[in-house]
């Protein structure tokens, strides 16, 4: 099998690299697969697919063993039990089941796997290449399309290549950059979801965007999370005036679940017209703070914030895209020979709210499924297309400011109108505004020389529209989706499935 691996920047750059906490697996004797399933389903608020959750939980131990064989250096148990891995507990998990490599789990997994990939002679790497769109073909007398490749921009020479492939696997990550504040790296611009959508894939449950309650707020800081453990160790959430507010929202105060804390902060910011709130641990002993939170202490100090003396300005930030390209249990999309894995996909594992540390597990689980499926179908006859190069036609963009301005506008619009707490009025206003941007950017895209920023902007607008339409379609509040016009949760849960025929989608859900 010959494989081309395309990555739009350096190979390691993506959310995986930044994953700190770990990867969930049933390894302890006191734990069970049934309990992992129950915890995941509970977090998912009625929308998890039970068969998928069961399969993933069942394979978790084998997946950890496979990663160990690839050389991933997980943290060992210090209690003297030889070769036993250290397990921690995170929100939603009944038992300690988080395997980790200190607080750099994603980096450790990536390092080992990238090392293996580089040694394989059948894998060709194409870094600084950006996939623009999928190439699909309809077979004669068939209504189903088949994916036969992708248009790809080589950022180094600015040429558009046609990559033909028997099978295409999208593993392009989430769409969290669609919001002004995010914990994600710049790569998470929803490219895979937008490409699949334009090609005719079903996109599911995009209204469920997970927000982390506390991300550092500073005009120069990018995507730095302030861990939940800071609140666990006594950190207080206050307004800039010093007034605490969490007790008004939940008896558990700052230790309420993530979505409740994120909604409370969002509400206080909106009613008080604030840019941020403060997370303050400065009342604790300086030496204790430095010992317990060395990374947070040093990172904040870079921005002249001494957390031993003052509160940390924080805002909630988008963290995880629960919805995505709808896939079956083998990671197949509704387009033949097109697969999707990881955060770009909607497998049914996370439902309406992802449980912490289940996402890295999902990535590996479905990668293995794709491999099995391709091995089964690899010998079938496939369409041939020429592997030609295309000129990047159009005018050189002399109006870079248009791209920069639109990026900022869209992310601000999504933050203000389609954020943590939603209303019908704001969603409808956002829909009108985003459709104007969409028309404008499609014209711009067709006339100008295509750049990486332009590709991402086009995708960002596409995904923003999908999120808005999905949020409008859901006439209830469930999991991560909260609409004050429909505060109750319906008895029966259903997925929101969107495809290219957007207006029909809205009609379909209006009739429900
Ligand atoms: C700060 C942070 C902490 C987290 N902590 C945890 C944790 O502890 N445990 C856990 O389970 N999950 C955690 N998550 C979530 C988890 O890391 C992600 O869900 C997961 O890593 C996603 O992997 P992925 O392979 O789907 O996407 P990514 O790792 O984001 O990789 C996507 C890749 O696709 C490339 N790409 C995108 N678009 C294109 C294009 N158009 N053309 C070419 N290449 C493209 C990107 O360059 C990138 O290399 C965390 C996430 C963040 C941001």
């Amino acid at each position: 099998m010959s494989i081309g691996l395309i990555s739009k920047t350096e190979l390691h750059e993506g959310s995986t690299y930044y994953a700190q906490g770990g990867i969930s697996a049933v390894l302890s004797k006191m734990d069970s697969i049934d309990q992992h399933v129950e915890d995941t389903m509970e977090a998912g608020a009625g929308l998890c697919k039970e068969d998928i959750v069961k399969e993933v939980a069942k394979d978790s131990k084998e997946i950890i063993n496979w990663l160990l064989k690839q050389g991933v250096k997980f943290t060992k148990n210090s209690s003297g039990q030889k070769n036993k891995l250290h397990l921690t507990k995170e929100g939603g998990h009944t038992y300690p089941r988080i395997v980790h490599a200190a607080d750099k789990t994603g980096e450790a997994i990536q390092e080992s796997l990238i090392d293996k990939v580089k040694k394989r002679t059948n894998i060709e790497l194409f870094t600084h290449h950006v996939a623009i769109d999928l190439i699909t073909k309809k077979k004669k007398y068939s209504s189903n399309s088949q994916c036969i490749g992708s248009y790809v921009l080589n950022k180094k020479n600015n040429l558009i290549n046609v990559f033909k492939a028997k099978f295409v696997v999208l593993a392009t990550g989430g769409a969290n950059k669609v919001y002004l504040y995010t914990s994600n790296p710049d790569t998470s611009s929803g490219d895979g979801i937008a490409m699949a959508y334009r090609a005719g894939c079903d996109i599911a449950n995009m209204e469920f965007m997970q927000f982390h309650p506390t991300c550092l707020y500073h005009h120069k800081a990018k995507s730095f999370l302030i861990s939940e453990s800071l609140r666990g160790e006594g950190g207080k959430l206050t307004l800039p005036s010093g007034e605490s507010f969490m007790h008004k929202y939940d008896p558990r105060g700052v230790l309420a679940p993530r979505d409740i804390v994120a909604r409370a902060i969002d509400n206080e910011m909106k009613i008080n017209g604030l840019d941020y709130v403060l997370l303050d641990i400065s009342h604790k002993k300086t030496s204790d703070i430095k010992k317990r939170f060395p990374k947070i202490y040093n990172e904040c100090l870079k921005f002249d914030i001494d957390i031993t003396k003052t509160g940390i300005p924080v805002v909630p930030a988008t963290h995880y895209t629960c919805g995505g390209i709808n896939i079956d249990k083998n990671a197949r999309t509704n387009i033949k020979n097109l697969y999707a894995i990881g955060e770009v996909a909607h497998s049914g594992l996370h439902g309406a709210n992802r449980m912490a540390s289940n996402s890295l597990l999902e990535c590996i689980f479905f990668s293995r499924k794709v491999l099995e499926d391709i091995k089964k179908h690899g010998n079938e006859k496939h369409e041939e297309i020429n592997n030609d190069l295309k000129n990047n036609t159009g005018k050189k963009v002399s109006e870079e400011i248009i791209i920069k301005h639109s990026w900022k506008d869209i992310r601000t619009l999504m933050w203000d109108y389609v954020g943590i707490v939603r209303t019908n009025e704001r969603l409808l206003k956002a829909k009108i505004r985003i459709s104007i941007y969409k028309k404008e950017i499609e014209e711009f895209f067709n006339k100008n020389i295509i750049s990486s920023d332009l590709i991402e902007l086009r995708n960002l607008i596409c995904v923003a529209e999908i999120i808005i339409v999905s949020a409008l379609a859901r006439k209830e509040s469930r999991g991560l989706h909260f609409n004050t016009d429909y505060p109750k949760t319906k008895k029966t849960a259903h997925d929101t499935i969107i495809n290219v025929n957007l207006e029909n989608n809205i009609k379909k859900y209006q009739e429900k």
Side-chain angles (χ1 to χ4, degrees):
M1 199 187 305
S2 143
I3 300 161
L5 187 55
I6 300 166
S7 167
K8 65 180 171 180
T9 57
E10 292 299 323
L11 203 51
H12 73 269
E13 187 60 359
S15 288
T16 304
Y17 182 81
Y18 300 93
Q20 301 167 353
I23 172 164
S24 55
V26 180
L27 299 183
S28 144
K29 276 194 185 131
M30 68 169 129
D31 198 2
S32 68
I33 291 166
D34 285 348
Q35 192 59 57
H36 190 177
V37 172
E38 199 183 310
D39 293 348
T40 304
M41 304 271 296
E42 167 86 26
L47 273 180
C48 294
K49 290 196 176 122
E50 195 170 355
D51 53 336
I52 298 287
V53 182
K54 278 183 177 162
E55 278 207 44
V56 175
K58 183 166 73 63
D59 281 10
S60 61
K61 186 175 177 182
E62 203 188 308
I63 285 170
I64 296 297
N65 285 335
W66 181 81
L67 285 169
L68 285 167
K69 267 195 211 141
Q70 307 312 308
V72 183
K73 292 191 173 48
F74 289 123
T75 301
K76 297 263 167 64
N77 201 336
S78 58
S79 67
Q81 292 164 290
K82 216 177 146 210
N83 287 334
K84 285 244 166 154
L85 298 177
H86 182 250
L87 300 174
T88 59
K89 199 165 170 258
E90 279 184 345
H93 294 270
T94 303
Y95 293 111
R97 63 167 79 97
I98 317 298
V99 179
H100 62 105
D103 61 353
K104 293 179 174 181
T105 310
E107 192 181 326
I109 293 176
Q110 254 192 353
E111 235 169 51
S112 301
L113 298 186
I114 288 178
D115 191 48
K116 294 269 166 190
V117 162
K118 284 186 173 162
K119 287 184 184 139
R120 297 288 290 267
T121 50
N122 63 333
I123 303 179
E124 197 173 344
L125 302 178
F126 297 91
T127 55
H128 301 279
H129 279 65
V130 192
I132 307 168
D133 264 316
L134 297 165
I135 307 172
T136 55
K137 231 177 182 180
K138 265 193 186 153
K139 281 204 162 171
K140 258 189 192 167
Y141 314 115
S142 161
S143 59
N144 295 334
S145 17
Q146 176 180 333
C147 187
I148 52 174
S150 172
Y151 293 109
V152 178
L153 174 75
N154 179 346
K155 281 161 73 175
K156 287 177 184 160
N157 61 14
N158 217 25
L159 278 173
I160 297 172
N161 299 48
V162 174
F163 277 57
K164 65 173 182 177
K166 275 186 176 178
F167 301 98
V168 175
V169 183
L170 290 169
T172 49
N176 303 295
K177 267 236 113 173
V178 81
Y179 285 91
L180 189 57
Y181 302 113
T182 176
S183 66
N184 280 217
D186 287 349
T187 49
S188 304
S189 49
D191 297 5
I193 297 171
M195 278 191 278
Y197 168 79
R198 287 191 292 267
C201 281
D202 286 342
I203 311 294
N205 289 352
M206 284 298 289
E207 64 274 36
F208 299 112
M209 300 294 293
Q210 190 172 60
F211 288 77
H212 193 287
T214 53
C215 198
L216 175 63
Y217 175 84
H218 188 276
H219 67 285
K220 282 193 183 150
K222 240 181 166 181
S223 328
F224 185 68
L225 276 191
I226 309 293
S227 157
E228 240 163 285
S229 50
L230 206 112
R231 277 179 280 134
E233 300 285 339
K236 295 175 194 160
L237 277 168
T238 71
L239 303 178
S241 62
E243 189 190 328
S244 299
F245 57 85
M246 269 315 298
H247 59 279
K248 290 193 288 186
Y249 296 89
D250 195 285
R252 289 163 288 187
V254 292
L255 291 178
R258 268 186 196 181
D259 51 333
I260 294 177
V261 180
R263 274 202 286 274
I265 296 176
D266 180 71
N267 193 41
E268 290 296 325
M269 283 170 61
K270 284 212 171 84
I271 56 177
N272 294 301
L274 301 170
D275 288 334
Y276 59 84
V277 297
L278 292 173
L279 177 52
D280 197 347
I281 194 154
S282 61
H283 55 281
K284 292 267 168 180
K285 248 171 89 181
T286 299
S287 55
D288 289 349
I289 297 173
K290 285 186 185 172
K291 192 169 167 219
R292 177 66 182 86
F293 301 107
K295 198 168 174 192
I296 297 176
Y297 171 75
N298 285 318
E299 192 65 26
C300 289
L301 213 51
K302 284 186 198 161
F303 303 103
D304 291 329
I305 302 163
D306 182 346
I307 70 169
T308 64
K309 295 200 173 84
T310 178
I312 310 166
V314 290
V315 285
T318 35
H319 189 51
Y320 189 82
T321 309
C322 290
I325 306 165
N326 217 18
I327 55 167
D328 68 10
K329 62 181 181 6
N330 293 309
R332 284 188 294 229
T333 69
N334 58 311
I335 293 184
K336 198 170 173 229
N337 297 344
L338 177 67
Y339 298 84
I341 47 175
E343 202 170 328
V344 72
H346 169 265
S347 67
L349 175 68
H350 308 302
N353 192 0
R354 171 193 73 126
M355 188 166 70
S357 289
N358 266 350
S359 32
L360 289 172
L361 183 65
E362 182 192 36
C363 290
I364 311 278
F365 176 87
F366 282 102
S367 311
R368 287 152 57 100
K369 290 286 169 197
V370 169
L371 181 67
E372 282 166 24
D373 207 63
I374 287 180
K375 274 185 181 163
K376 252 189 250 162
H377 300 282
N379 291 330
E380 289 168 11
K381 213 173 165 326
H382 291 267
E383 292 281 343
E384 287 295 326
I385 53 167
N386 294 328
N387 195 7
D388 55 346
L389 293 178
K390 291 218 161 158
N391 281 329
N392 194 356
T393 50
K395 274 190 264 157
K396 176 131 185 64
V397 183
S398 53
E399 299 282 354
E400 290 291 347
I401 190 69
I402 294 182
I403 299 180
K404 211 171 150 196
H405 181 84
S406 307
W407 260 90
K408 201 168 160 234
D409 261 18
I410 283 141
R411 297 179 69 209
T412 310
L413 174 78
M414 290 300 284
W415 186 258
D416 289 341
Y417 286 34
V418 197
I420 301 170
V421 176
R422 296 157 181 178
T423 66
N424 282 349
E425 192 180 346
R426 274 189 248 143
L427 289 175
L428 285 166
K429 281 204 161 89
K431 185 172 177 290
I432 294 167
R433 287 182 196 184
I434 213 79
S435 62
I436 298 168
Y437 273 113
K438 190 178 173 188
K439 197 164 166 277
E440 232 174 68
I441 214 65
E442 280 302 330
E443 279 170 17
F444 199 75
F445 188 83
N446 292 330
K447 272 196 236 150
N448 291 288
I449 287 187
I450 294 169
S451 66
S452 181
D453 282 349
L454 186 52
I455 293 168
E456 287 183 345
L457 176 63
R458 179 182 180 228
N459 292 332
L460 215 66
I461 294 174
C462 175
V463 173
E465 189 175 44
I466 297 172
I467 296 173
I468 296 166
V469 171
S470 306
L472 276 168
R474 187 163 291 280
K475 308 262 185 283
E476 62 168 348
S477 291
R478 179 184 296 277
L480 299 164
H481 172 76
F482 189 80
N483 183 337
T484 53
D485 291 308
Y486 306 107
K488 290 198 176 131
T489 305
K490 284 186 179 169
K491 274 197 189 126
T492 47
H494 65 84
D495 289 330
T496 312
I497 310 280
I498 298 292
N499 58 38
V500 265
N501 210 339
L502 265 185
E503 294 307 321
N504 275 2
N505 288 298
I506 295 178
K507 270 193 213 132
K508 182 174 86 184
Y509 287 106
Q510 266 165 355
E511 283 155 16
K512 281 201 176 197

